[in-house]
Amino acid sequence: MALLALRLGHHHHHLGLSAPRDPRRLLRRRLVVASSGAVKAPAAAAVVWFKHDLRVDDHPGLAAAVAAEPRRPVLPLYVFDRRILAGYSDTMLELLLFALEDLKMVLKSQESDLLIGLGNAEDVVLKLVNEVQAGLIFTEEEVEYRVRNVLASVESSLSNSSFLSGNPPEIVVWSASLYDYKNPRELSTSHNQFLKEKLPMNTPLVAPSLPALNIEIETGSLPTLEELKGFLKESRTSENNWVPLKGTSARSILKKTLSQINVKTGVASSGSDGGEDTTAYYAMSGRKIQNSMFTSESSTEVRGGTEITLDALAAYLKYLEGTGKASWQELHDKVRLTETRDGASFCTLFGPALQLGVISKRRVYHETIQYERDRNAGFISPFGYSTPTVTAAVDAICSMEYTSVGHEGPSVLLVHGFGASLQHFRDNIGAIADQGCQVWAITLLGFGKSEKPNINYSELLWSELLRDFIVDVVKEPVHLVGNSIGGYICSITASLWPSLARSLILLNTAGSVVPSYSFIPLSEARLLLLFLRSRAGGILKEYYPTSYDPGAATVIESIFSFNLSIPLNFLFDSFGGKILIVQGMKDPLTKSKSFVSMLREHCSKVHIRELDAGHAPHDEVPDEVQAGLIFTEEEVEYRVRNVLASVESSLSNASFLSGNPPEIVVWSASLYDYKNPRELSTSHNQFLKEKLLMNTPLAAPSLPALNIEIETGSLPTLEELKGFLKEHRTSEDNWVPLTSTSARSILKKTLSQIKDNSAE
């Protein structure tokens, strides 16, 4: 039997794939698992495809694969697919390898094993299915955009292939829901109403006994961390060439940039956003510790498999009780280190384990509530839990997720202000989309229906969220539109990662303008923070949709740690792109006249529009805001279209002997044969199903002789052309030379001038 290639992406000619045939509808169903549930199916082999479920305990897919047919061969599979791993940091990759090593060891203890593949999941899965004649594929349902696309590619690959059995394998999608419900769409979106429904909690499933893997097949071996990093770098394509931007935090970029010009902003004092400053403060090293729950002395994430994680959870829950166990003492030290606010340590310690699925949320909840019962003689108080660690674990498990909205055309990303959500742009999304744009409206982490984990919320955290959303979901530069604190977050994002932003449109933005970036006084712009801090609760109730979700109070409290000390003019200069400031002059939170005056004095390249509105002009006077917003796909295209419009205008206003101006016929060479591009589906999968015909290239025509006496002109030399362009440059296009010099060169020159001025 053929072997499963370790690097399938480099061995397509060895796959032995059958010729494509007409697509057929792939069988797919959702698995509803009860403790004794089973799937009725023939005894063909079953593949269990692990992604973010790296465990044997409480694994509905694995349990169903075994229960369906006791003698069925069950093949556990993990695929290192760069599309799934693209956003993983080096720390997460290391934790992933620890988890897979533990999973492989647990499976081997039952005479099974974990098959390992590197490459595109559709290639690995298809080859394995053909080798073992699998009839079922069990895989967890995914909600993340990138991974859902991978699953869709696997489904498409299987549906378009031929199999000896005649039918493609059936994909069974499972989930491990915390609550017992039939249809998630019937659940209330109000947290208070949801609690009143008192849905029963699902019990975690016990680990099943797997059949021995009596199949001669190469299982593959786990790569080292360096091999994995090399594979991901090697397999990176143009579709994800922005991914390396996610490897460095916003705080690191800012600290490096600001240290070069000695800007006194207090960036480092705004609180840790991910561990680097905290670990430095405690002078912890990267030294390995034997028999540790962590990868190194400086690590704050629990590593390993389910057994280690459960032991760490028990230590966490019993934090107040103290311990004599060395490993538990080490974890308690980490709790003290990461407990920057009540309960914040849980997500830091156990977040990666939950993300990788080393332990299920149901298991965490079950163990936590069991500990609470044991602590209180079997009683669960309706007035709250008995320890902060129990409260933190339950709140982290019962959080929610985020949402977004999209259309077609050039990408526009709308970012709301503090306490609001994407609904604050309800009167803008449609109008902007009508311009032929693709509109994304994101609800920031911590607001609306987005998840509200117990973490340190800051402007830098949200700027990294925007960066990741653009890189992972939008996948092309966007026009960033932000209101209030959302405008400041957009400015940070455009400043630190300018390649991600086409332009900045700021609606009554937060932040200060400071001459020469010298220092940040308690300016009028910062009074916004003082005002919000004093009236946070009242403002949310009066102006924004109030949220009662778990974790909402933590987000409101985060305003006390906000730091608007990076000057707007510094961020604008670092961005270097087009910027429009829309200012409602009746804003009760800032003195708009003073702010606009500072912008005009110190931000010469910023365009400003003053409106008769308050703090949210996009909500108060949406038509006036949208009237001044024009988004274009590419500025080069926009310029050429203007040239065409000028030609049309010139011809229409001129006189001709024939009486009529010449007719302009606009043509295009489209790849597909269609009548109206606006009728095409924006879904790639749906577009493929329409099976549009491809246009055939036209043969070069035979042109008639040019029997007209006319001067044809001659081509200029390169120097003549450059001189002509320089000579004819006008004020309308004096910004064009900017494109010939890199942002880095301009920034270096500017910073050197600042240093020279400071020395004087």
Side-chain angles (χ1 to χ4, degrees):
M1 185 175 289
L3 300 181
L4 179 66
L6 183 64
R7 286 178 174 267
L8 278 172
H10 298 274
H11 296 276
H12 290 291
H13 56 288
H14 292 310
L15 292 177
L17 304 182
S18 302
R21 58 185 174 80
D22 292 337
R24 293 182 297 178
R25 185 174 181 272
L26 185 66
L27 294 176
R28 179 181 179 181
R29 56 180 159 132
R30 183 184 304 276
L31 173 63
V32 181
V33 180
S35 297
S36 60
V39 175
K40 299 296 183 181
V47 174
V48 178
W49 175 20
F50 289 86
K51 300 190 298 296
H52 298 125
D53 50 324
L54 307 183
R55 62 185 185 273
V56 174
D57 175 74
D58 192 28
H59 196 293
L62 198 60
V66 173
E69 173 58 55
R71 292 171 295 177
R72 173 198 306 279
V74 176
L75 292 92
L77 170 69
Y78 182 83
V79 184
F80 288 95
D81 189 305
R82 54 93 183 161
R83 294 164 296 182
I84 297 177
L85 304 179
Y88 280 34
S89 64
D90 289 354
T91 298
M92 279 299 295
L93 290 177
E94 186 176 18
L95 294 172
L96 168 66
L97 292 176
F98 272 113
L100 289 172
E101 183 179 11
D102 182 85
L103 178 60
K104 195 173 180 70
M105 180 184 68
V106 171
L107 291 171
K108 280 187 173 181
S109 69
Q110 298 193 37
E111 299 184 20
S112 182
D113 204 346
L114 181 65
L115 278 61
I116 302 295
L118 268 74
N120 290 339
E122 53 267 35
D123 296 336
V124 175
V125 172
L126 179 61
K127 184 175 189 298
L128 180 60
V129 166
N130 274 318
E131 288 184 359
V132 302
Q133 295 302 305
L136 289 171
I137 299 174
F138 292 86
T139 189
E140 185 178 15
E141 185 176 24
E142 299 285 351
V143 295
E144 198 269 322
Y145 177 83
R146 184 183 294 269
V147 186
R148 286 175 67 89
N149 278 351
V150 173
L151 179 57
S153 297
V154 171
E155 290 179 321
S156 177
S157 174
L158 293 174
S159 66
N160 288 292
S161 299
S162 298
F163 300 91
L164 294 177
S165 62
N167 296 316
E170 180 180 359
I171 294 182
V172 182
V173 179
W174 62 267
S175 63
S177 58
L178 188 62
Y179 295 94
D180 185 10
Y181 55 83
K182 294 181 179 179
N183 185 1
R185 294 186 179 276
E186 296 176 357
L187 298 177
S188 174
T189 57
S190 165
H191 181 66
N192 284 345
Q193 183 60 39
F194 175 80
L195 292 178
K196 292 178 181 178
E197 293 175 3
K198 296 182 180 179
L199 293 175
M201 307 290 284
N202 282 320
T203 303
L205 302 176
V206 297
S209 297
L210 296 177
L213 189 64
N214 295 321
I215 296 178
E216 293 183 4
I217 189 169
E218 179 66 35
T219 59
S221 59
L222 287 173
T224 65
L225 178 60
E226 292 306 317
E227 288 173 342
L228 180 56
K229 288 162 64 176
F231 165 74
L232 294 177
K233 183 177 181 180
E234 172 188 326
S235 59
R236 186 174 299 134
T237 68
S238 58
E239 294 180 3
N240 62 353
N241 55 11
W242 278 342
V243 169
L245 295 178
K246 298 168 60 177
T248 308
S249 71
R251 184 177 303 281
S252 298
I253 298 174
L254 272 176
K255 289 176 72 174
K256 182 178 179 181
T257 304
L258 297 176
S259 65
Q260 295 173 348
I261 58 174
N262 297 319
V263 177
K264 299 177 181 179
T265 60
V267 176
S269 64
S270 63
S272 173
D273 67 337
E276 57 190 325
D277 295 320
T278 304
T279 54
Y281 177 79
Y282 282 86
M284 300 180 72
S285 70
R287 181 169 55 89
K288 302 287 184 180
I289 303 176
Q290 191 174 6
N291 299 324
S292 172
M293 295 177 177
F294 303 88
T295 57
S296 69
E297 190 176 13
S298 61
S299 175
T300 55
E301 303 90 1
V302 172
R303 64 94 177 166
T306 305
E307 186 176 350
I308 290 178
T309 307
L310 282 173
D311 189 42
L313 177 62
Y316 180 81
L317 295 175
K318 297 180 180 180
Y319 172 68
L320 296 181
E321 298 180 14
T323 180
K325 294 176 61 175
S327 60
W328 283 30
Q329 288 176 351
E330 181 190 13
L331 186 130
H332 291 175
D333 289 340
K334 303 290 187 179
V335 173
R336 285 187 286 274
L337 171 66
T338 57
E339 190 76 348
T340 52
R341 64 157 50 92
D342 289 344
S345 57
F346 182 86
C347 288
T348 302
L349 296 172
F350 297 97
L354 286 168
Q355 182 180 344
L356 295 172
V358 170
I359 187 172
S360 71
K361 290 187 174 183
R362 295 197 303 205
R363 179 61 67 188
V364 172
Y365 183 84
H366 177 79
E367 297 297 322
T368 302
I369 295 301
Q370 186 60 48
Y371 169 72
E372 181 72 359
R373 286 197 174 99
D374 293 344
R375 182 179 173 85
N376 296 283
F379 178 70
I380 300 294
S381 171
F383 304 107
Y385 299 108
S386 60
T387 69
T389 52
V390 170
T391 302
V394 171
D395 285 349
I397 293 303
C398 297
S399 55
M400 302 179 70
E401 297 184 354
Y402 76 86
T403 185
S404 64
V405 177
H407 290 291
E408 60 181 2
S411 295
V412 180
L413 178 56
L414 308 177
V415 184
H416 59 81
F418 186 83
S421 67
L422 64 85
Q423 295 299 323
H424 211 198
F425 289 100
R426 60 191 177 279
D427 295 327
N428 313 106
I429 295 176
I432 296 175
D434 288 342
Q435 295 185 24
C437 297
Q438 184 178 13
V439 183
W440 304 88
I442 187 173
T443 296
L444 294 173
L445 197 71
F447 299 110
K449 294 182 180 179
S450 285
E451 191 171 353
K452 299 168 184 66
N454 192 354
I455 57 176
N456 291 322
Y457 292 90
S458 69
E459 309 93 309
L460 300 186
L461 172 73
W462 284 316
S463 70
E464 291 173 357
L465 172 66
L466 293 189
R467 174 200 65 191
D468 294 350
F469 187 82
I470 296 169
V471 170
D472 292 336
V473 180
V474 183
K475 298 183 179 179
E476 67 177 12
V478 300
H479 297 280
L480 279 168
V481 182
N483 169 237
S484 189
I485 193 69
Y488 191 69
I489 296 165
C490 288
S491 300
I492 294 175
T493 304
S495 170
L496 301 184
W497 303 284
S499 63
L500 303 182
R502 294 172 183 259
S503 67
L504 268 177
I505 299 95
L506 309 179
L507 312 168
N508 285 66
T509 183
S512 302
V513 177
V514 180
S516 304
Y517 320 142
S518 57
F519 64 96
I520 303 296
L522 187 60
S523 61
E524 292 173 350
R526 295 204 69 192
L527 292 177
L528 168 62
L529 280 186
L530 296 177
F531 183 76
L532 287 173
R533 287 171 181 170
S534 64
R535 292 193 55 217
I539 289 174
L540 291 179
K541 291 180 180 179
E542 184 175 355
Y543 296 110
Y544 298 117
T546 305
S547 172
Y548 297 96
D549 296 335
T554 300
V555 186
I556 297 174
E557 292 170 4
S558 68
I559 199 167
F560 290 95
S561 63
F562 281 5
N563 185 346
L564 304 187
S565 60
I566 309 300
L568 281 172
N569 44 322
F570 172 82
L571 298 175
F572 294 166
D573 291 345
S574 298
F575 169 46
K578 291 189 173 181
I579 302 170
L580 171 65
I581 304 288
V582 179
Q583 187 70 22
M585 301 305 290
K586 294 181 178 179
D587 190 339
L589 304 182
T590 59
K591 293 184 179 180
S592 294
K593 289 185 178 179
S594 174
F595 179 58
V596 168
S597 176
M598 291 292 287
L599 285 169
R600 289 198 168 103
E601 183 177 356
H602 301 286
C603 306
S604 58
K605 296 179 182 178
V606 171
H607 298 277
I608 302 171
R609 290 181 59 210
E610 300 179 19
L611 296 179
D612 185 23
H615 188 61
H618 61 290
D619 191 34
E620 301 166 35
V621 287
D623 293 340
E624 293 183 41
V625 171
Q626 284 138 206
L629 301 182
I630 299 176
F631 303 97
T632 60
E633 184 69 51
E634 293 290 347
E635 293 178 358
V636 174
E637 179 186 357
Y638 174 76
R639 182 177 293 272
V640 178
R641 288 172 67 89
N642 276 352
V643 172
L644 177 59
S646 297
V647 171
E648 290 178 323
S649 176
S650 175
L651 293 175
S652 64
N653 290 305
S655 298
F656 299 90
L657 294 177
S658 62
N660 296 318
E663 180 182 359
I664 295 180
V665 181
V666 180
W667 60 269
S668 63
S670 59
L671 187 62
Y672 293 94
D673 184 12
Y674 55 82
K675 295 181 180 179
N676 184 2
R678 293 189 177 275
E679 295 177 358
L680 297 177
S681 173
T682 57
S683 165
H684 182 64
N685 285 344
Q686 183 60 38
F687 175 79
L688 293 178
K689 292 179 181 178
E690 294 175 2
K691 298 180 181 178
L692 293 177
L693 298 176
M694 306 287 285
N695 283 320
T696 304
L698 301 177
S702 298
L703 297 178
L706 188 65
N707 297 321
I708 298 178
E709 294 184 3
I710 189 171
E711 181 66 34
T712 60
S714 59
L715 288 172
T717 65
L718 176 61
E719 294 305 318
E720 288 173 342
L721 180 57
K722 289 164 65 177
F724 166 78
L725 294 175
K726 184 176 181 180
E727 176 185 342
H728 290 79
R729 186 172 298 134
T730 67
S731 58
E732 294 181 1
D733 60 352
N734 56 11
W735 48 266
V736 171
L738 293 175
T739 60
S740 62
T741 307
S742 69
R744 184 177 298 278
S745 300
I746 298 173
L747 183 59
K748 282 185 177 180
K749 182 178 179 181
T750 304
L751 295 179
S752 65
Q753 292 174 349
I754 293 174
K755 288 182 179 179
D756 293 341
N757 294 336
S758 300
E760 294 176 1

